Amino acid sequence: MLKGIGTSGGIGIGHVLLIEDFNAEVIDRQPETPDIERKRFLEAKDTFVSSTKEIAANLKEKLGAGDKTALVLQNQIYLINDQELESGITEGINNGLSAENAVDATCRMYADIFRSMDSEVMNQRVADIEDLRNRIVNILGGGQCTDLSSLPPDTIIVASELHPSITATMDTEHVAGIIAEKGGETSHAAILARALEIPAVLSLKGICSRVKDNDPVIIDGEYGEVFLNPSGKTLKIYEKKRRIYAERNEELKRYIDKATLTGDGSKVCLAANIGGDKDCSKAMSLGADGVGLFRTEFFFLEGVSMPTEEQQFEVYKKAAVLSKDKFITIRTLDIGGDKDIPYMGLVKENNPFLGYRAIRYCLGRVDVFITQLRAILRASAYGKIRIMLPLITTVEEVQTARKIISDICKDLDRKEIPYDKNIQVGVMVETPSASLIADLLAKRADFFSIGTNDLTQYTLAVDRGNENVSYLYSVYNPSVLRSIRNIIACGKEAGIEVGMCGEAAASPGMIPLLLSFGLDEFSVSPSKILETRKNIASWTKEEADKVTGTVMAMESEKEVSGYLSDYIAAREELRRKKEGKADG
Ligand code: PEP
Ligand code: MG
């Protein structure tokens, strides 16, 4: 079994089609005069734009008009219309290069700049610009692009990297899976694969040299697993998994746009964690009750310089408008730790997760903080925005942040700029310190949101990204569970709402415990909304309390997670039997 990153769920069983690394050759020819070469470039640009629009329109037809995935291709139109890119190409032509050589040189220069930025979002730009280069060089040379518009059934595409224009034009009816050496969770190939519901495993290094056309292969897009030339036994296991997966998906569709209720009918708030407007639209279309976490650092990561107040205002306003009358919780900048933004001037630290991060950075760089808060406050005139402060460890941090917010409000009042005067300011509880003083923080916060990703890391003193100690990283450790129980109890005592926006909110084993502790809001990634709604619906308060009583008396993580997974598997088995679903 080989392991990559599972970026689009589902089981794919089929045969390999190996796509050669497509790198359009620049034909070596004597350039014409700059005027003629410029004209050739502009004609190629027009052809590129119209063919990209055509691909995007076809994609929209496949995915439905409301789907925003075609925007992935729109990015390439923005890129080719970028003034700097175009002037780089024109300058090359004026200096005596042919149109194709000027496009090639300028695109390579941009790709090198993006590559050197060492962030996944920027690396994605590299894929976009390489795709754009290939297609324009091809148009200029009159060549053919890779054509995957007609494929045999059950094709598993294997490539070094899948560019958006290829993924968007392939014969998706017959594609059973995608495997690529490059790309991650947020690469455009992953976004398209998820939208087209094709299982995908990316970042699987060396795969191209290990397979040939027609090799049988199985992929599990949820766990990132790939089986080459699988045995009859493995094939049988995965055929069963594929059937269960398809049934589960069908079943989940019943939960779209439904209220989130426990088995005994209590309403639960189910919100979404978003990184931008695409996630926001998706969450709203699935009936999320609001946004429990808007990770603002993502769009700071996309640019090459700090976004201005105006640019930020537009982003927050758009998200507020997209969420209509539902609440949207905007987390102030959480950089540092594992999130570096090249232009923010962070210095390398020995213990970045214990260092200059999140609220600490913002209180040190008050100029950055004020710019963001002003933009959020101004956007609050357009929707139900809440402000959330990450990585709080002391009461003073909350007091200082609130003072800065109230000073900005006074300034907005003076200038008669509208904002929500009752805006709520909440605290992310994600450090042991915040958990231990949750009663004190609850007096200064309008709401809590528990960040279990960090709370687990800091409570257990285990770096969340370090594979050597990942065996210790578990929210089911009794220390983390006690911490969560305490935070919720303190919030309840003070009469404020307590949510959870860490990954644990969507974890099937955590759901009964959180219901029993009295969590008010579950905030999960959009891809987990339906599953979480279904899981919540399967628990009554009585059963959740019983399970929680047993779990909270246990002394080790192993006991807790073993008990919960056996308990949940047994319920699921029982349910399938009741519904008359075959098991073999
Ligand atoms: C968390 O720590 O649980 C959380 C939601 O924040 P992040 O994963 O962005 O640190
Ligand atoms: Mg966190």
Side-chain angles (χ1 to χ4, degrees):
M1 189 261 287
L2 306 172
K3 193 131 173 62
I5 302 178
T7 55
S8 175
I11 308 291
I13 302 177
H15 292 89
V16 167
L17 175 69
L18 190 59
I19 312 285
E20 295 298 325
D21 219 354
F22 179 66
N23 204 357
E25 286 290 319
V26 176
I27 298 167
D28 197 15
R29 47 176 279 279
Q30 195 57 32
E32 307 281 345
T33 63
D35 278 351
I36 296 178
E37 293 297 336
R38 242 186 334 267
K39 189 160 168 280
R40 287 184 64 234
F41 165 66
L42 292 175
E43 280 167 5
K45 180 180 157 188
D46 284 349
T47 311
F48 173 86
V49 170
S50 55
S51 92
T52 307
K53 281 186 178 159
E54 197 181 314
I55 302 172
N58 289 339
L59 194 64
K60 269 203 157 156
E61 211 174 293
K62 268 191 216 166
L63 299 174
D67 196 285
K68 300 276 187 293
T69 312
L71 292 179
V72 164
L73 292 152
Q74 186 67 36
N75 277 349
Q76 294 197 346
I77 300 183
Y78 290 142
L79 265 179
I80 192 65
N81 284 326
D82 183 276
Q83 283 297 315
E84 278 187 39
L85 186 85
E86 184 158 341
S87 41
I89 294 169
T90 312
E91 199 182 313
I93 292 174
N94 291 344
N95 288 336
L97 290 181
S98 66
E100 40 276 75
N101 268 320
V103 169
D104 183 52
T106 312
C107 288
R108 282 184 197 280
M109 183 188 83
Y110 271 81
D112 285 346
I113 294 173
F114 290 143
R115 206 175 278 117
S116 71
M117 286 182 185
D118 194 26
S119 96
E120 200 191 324
V121 179
M122 283 305 152
N123 283 336
Q124 185 46 48
R125 292 279 167 85
V126 177
D128 280 342
I129 202 128
E130 282 176 348
D131 193 20
L132 180 146
R133 173 211 165 270
N134 278 335
R135 291 177 56 215
I136 299 209
V137 166
N138 232 338
I139 294 167
L140 284 161
Q144 289 292 312
C145 283
T146 310
D147 182 7
L148 301 180
S149 60
S150 172
L151 296 169
D154 300 324
T155 298
I156 304 265
I157 308 262
V158 179
S160 157
E161 180 166 29
L162 273 173
H163 289 143
S165 62
I166 297 184
T167 323
T169 49
M170 71 193 173
D171 173 13
T172 45
E173 285 270 295
H174 294 135
V175 178
I178 292 173
I179 311 174
E181 300 208 352
K182 293 186 192 159
E185 191 59 39
T186 57
S187 66
H188 285 159
I191 294 169
L192 283 166
R194 280 197 290 271
L196 295 162
E197 297 184 5
I198 298 172
V201 175
L202 305 184
S203 278
L204 188 54
K205 295 201 175 45
I207 183 71
C208 293
S209 56
R210 298 184 69 151
V211 293
K212 56 183 185 326
D213 281 345
N214 285 322
D215 278 355
V217 60
I218 296 176
I219 86 167
D220 183 334
E222 196 159 327
Y223 294 100
E225 293 172 352
V226 171
F227 300 84
L228 303 179
N229 302 308
S231 66
K233 194 171 155 215
T234 309
L235 196 61
K236 245 182 129 183
I237 294 172
Y238 276 84
E239 275 167 350
K240 179 180 164 191
K241 280 195 178 187
R242 181 170 62 177
R243 201 182 58 239
I244 293 177
Y245 187 87
E247 282 170 12
R248 194 184 75 182
N249 254 3
E250 263 323 291
E251 207 184 321
L252 286 183
K253 288 190 182 145
R254 296 207 310 254
Y255 290 88
I256 295 177
D257 222 1
K258 289 261 160 55
T260 306
L261 302 171
T262 59
D264 44 355
S266 300
K267 173 94 184 73
V268 174
C269 176
L270 180 59
N273 295 344
I274 65 164
D277 53 356
K278 263 186 247 158
D279 290 345
C280 190
S281 309
K282 167 131 200 240
M284 294 306 136
S285 72
L286 297 173
D289 294 311
V291 171
L293 166 64
F294 180 175
R295 288 186 162 97
T296 54
E297 57 279 4
F298 285 163
F299 81 88
F300 277 71
L301 275 161
E302 274 167 24
V304 286
S305 61
M306 162 93 178
T308 62
E309 182 183 321
E310 247 6 81
Q311 285 165 333
Q312 293 191 55
F313 166 68
E314 287 303 330
V315 172
Y316 307 142
K317 178 179 157 190
K318 191 164 175 195
V321 170
L322 279 174
S323 13
K324 302 208 175 86
D325 50 348
K326 297 174 173 171
F327 70 92
I328 166 157
T329 314
I330 302 187
R331 175 171 78 183
T332 57
L333 198 55
D334 183 358
I335 55 157
D338 58 347
K339 287 174 249 166
D340 182 19
I341 301 182
Y343 59 81
M344 296 296 251
L346 289 164
V347 286
K348 226 173 162 41
E349 297 178 321
N350 285 339
N351 286 306
F353 273 121
L354 301 183
Y356 199 42
R357 201 196 142 182
I359 193 72
R360 302 170 183 183
Y361 175 89
C362 286
L363 294 179
R365 283 288 309 268
V366 183
D367 56 325
V368 174
F369 199 31
I370 289 178
T371 306
Q372 182 175 41
L373 288 168
R374 277 185 69 90
I376 298 176
L377 281 161
R378 285 174 52 206
S380 72
Y382 298 86
K384 273 198 207 160
I385 288 181
R386 316 195 290 182
I387 297 173
M388 182 157 79
L389 308 169
L391 207 79
I392 292 293
T393 46
T394 67
V395 164
E396 289 87 338
E397 283 165 347
V398 183
Q399 287 169 325
T400 312
R402 291 200 84 127
K403 168 85 173 68
I404 294 172
I405 293 169
S406 102
D407 288 347
I408 300 171
C409 290
K410 281 184 200 142
D411 185 50
L412 295 176
D413 283 334
R414 264 194 305 276
K415 295 180 177 142
E416 293 184 19
I417 298 174
Y419 67 95
D420 176 4
K421 296 196 195 277
N422 296 315
I423 194 160
Q424 294 198 348
V425 180
V427 164
M428 253 188 106
V429 186
E430 51 183 345
T431 63
S433 169
S435 171
L436 289 165
I437 56 164
D439 55 333
L440 307 178
L441 294 173
K443 292 185 201 150
R444 278 118 182 144
D446 296 319
F447 63 93
F448 276 167
S449 184
I450 308 175
T452 47
N453 307 344
D454 277 317
L455 186 66
T456 307
Q457 130 164 297
Y458 294 124
T459 303
L460 297 168
V462 53
D463 179 341
R464 65 196 249 190
N466 183 337
E467 280 171 27
N468 296 330
V469 285
S470 61
Y471 68 96
L472 271 172
Y473 184 89
S474 168
V475 72
Y476 295 108
N477 192 299
S479 60
V480 185
L481 295 178
R482 287 178 188 207
S483 180
I484 294 171
R485 182 177 61 182
N486 175 57
I487 299 162
I488 298 173
C490 290
K492 292 218 150 303
E493 179 70 28
I496 61 168
E497 278 187 6
V498 184
M500 178 176 286
C501 58
E503 298 300 311
S507 187
M510 282 301 289
I511 287 173
L513 311 186
L514 298 173
L515 288 172
S516 177
F517 294 157
L519 188 79
D520 297 298
E521 171 210 302
F522 291 68
S523 190
V524 303
S525 79
S527 62
K528 291 281 166 75
I529 287 180
L530 298 183
E531 199 180 310
T532 308
R533 186 172 287 142
K534 176 179 167 244
N535 283 335
I536 289 174
S538 76
W539 291 95
T540 60
K541 177 83 167 63
E542 192 189 342
E543 191 184 9
D545 283 348
K546 198 177 111 239
V547 166
T548 305
T550 308
V551 163
M552 294 311 282
M554 290 176 169
E555 295 185 1
S556 74
E557 190 277 340
K558 206 162 161 233
E559 246 184 305
V560 173
S561 51
Y563 166 76
L564 284 170
S565 69
D566 288 351
Y567 188 95
I568 288 169
R571 284 165 108 233
E572 181 61 14
E573 197 65 33
L574 200 68
R575 189 185 67 87
R576 287 176 63 76
K577 279 211 178 102
K578 269 197 204 149
E579 288 176 8
K581 287 195 174 126
D583 206 33

